[in-house]
Amino acid sequence: MHPAFVRSLITGAALSLMGSAAFAQAIDLSSGSAVVPAGVYGIDVVVTSGSGGGGGSDAARAVGGVTTQGPGGQGGSGTAVTSTIRVQPGQTITVVQGAAGAGGENKQRNNTGGKTGGAGGTGDGAGGAGGGANHKDYSGAGGGGGGASSLKVGNLIIIAGGGGGGGGGSWGVTGGAGVAGATTVDNLATCAGAPGVVGVGDEAAGVNGNPTGDGAGGGGGGGGYTGVVGAGGTAGRENANPFTSGGGGGGGGSCAYAGDAANSFVTPPTAAAGPAGGAGGLSSQNTGSFASPGSAGTVTAVVNPAVVAPPVAAVPTMETWGLLAMGALLAGFGVRRVRKQG
């Protein structure tokens, strides 16, 4: 083996090892975008959505010597979508980190009209706001839904659906729990962020068929993707037995899509439960306080040096073409000599 060729092999191997050590690092996405470094062709990503806020509480209820509490519902957890993706040096990665849904107000009381529930978290598909409680007496307002998070590079997109907000508690009835963001990742070309639905409120007399008694607000839906977003929770009722509390908001859908070979999934996206939702308010808490908010989502990307550049077809050089032509001439000369000898 020619010494120059051996030296080139050793040099190439050394550079490859040095490159792997240099690129085995996290990519800073704090500004919302980052450029793929030179020599990087694969990254491990985790896209985590925001979770829903807890529902506000209502007062405890004593009937026949038995006291039952009226806490708000727990917010739905977010979703964490994980995958290894193929990228190209110099491409721009853009991310949106879904924010947490805010908690609903506890034992809301406002005789001039109801207040709104917890705000939905911002995101690539914002969470829906929680529904407000009725203007009469005490009831809990719904928590806001968590915002969806996303990562995009080239034609590739990943969206993690947000958790639904917890429903507000009614008198002696616990609010409905928010639904977690979807842990099934749908593969669709129409994958694009979309906002969750606002929770149904019961803010004023005569709204939603509840003209006299008070009622709790439903939780806001989690942000998701077009066609699959979290539904708003239903409003509670206290104008007839049995009392009902506010329903929890639905969880947002999760999706992913890779449009070409330059940006593809090395490992298929999978999803699991993300951060827990906010706790619902307690009946012992004072009027004017709020249930706990959910947790904000995150997006991380770490270089995977095991993913290398695709092989490039060799282009013959002038020297190669010359050798091929000489070989053809020699072959032709040999054939003529054989014919003459025959």
Side-chain angles (χ1 to χ4, degrees), residues 116-129:
T116 58
T122 58
D124 193 354

Side-chain angles (χ1 to χ4, degrees), residues 43-268:
I43 55 176
D44 299 326
V45 299
V46 181
V47 182
T48 304
S49 63
S51 59
S57 66
D58 197 348
R61 184 187 188 197
V63 178
V66 178
T67 300
T68 54
Q69 304 296 315
Q74 174 90 19
S77 62
T79 304
V81 179
T82 303
S83 179
T84 298
I85 64 175
R86 182 175 294 282
V87 294
Q88 304 300 318
Q91 286 188 310
T92 299
I93 305 167
T94 58
V95 301
V96 176
Q97 302 185 92
E105 189 170 359
N106 295 314
K107 296 184 286 190
Q108 209 165 161
R109 187 171 190 175
N110 182 351
N111 289 326
T112 61
K115 299 175 183 177
T116 58
T122 58
D124 193 354
N134 189 275
H135 75 297
K136 292 183 66 66
D137 208 33
Y138 299 101
S139 279
S149 294
S150 67
L151 178 144
K152 301 172 185 176
V153 56
N155 290 322
L156 183 148
I157 181 171
I158 297 174
I159 290 180
S170 285
W171 191 21
V173 184
T174 302
V179 179
T183 53
T184 298
V185 183
D186 297 323
N187 183 8
L188 296 168
T190 55
C191 182
V197 180
V198 173
V200 179
D202 201 11
E203 294 89 349
V207 175
N208 300 319
N210 189 3
T212 56
D214 65 353
Y225 69 89
T226 304
V228 186
V229 299
T234 57
R237 296 286 180 273
E238 292 184 19
N239 59 327
N241 281 314
F243 290 177
T244 59
S245 60
S254 302
C255 64
Y257 184 73
D260 53 51
N263 300 111
S264 57
F265 297 114
V266 179
T267 60

Side-chain angles (χ1 to χ4, degrees), residues 39-42 86-89 305-312:
V40 173
Y41 293 92
R86 182 175 294 282
V87 294
Q88 304 300 318
V307 183
V308 298
V312 179

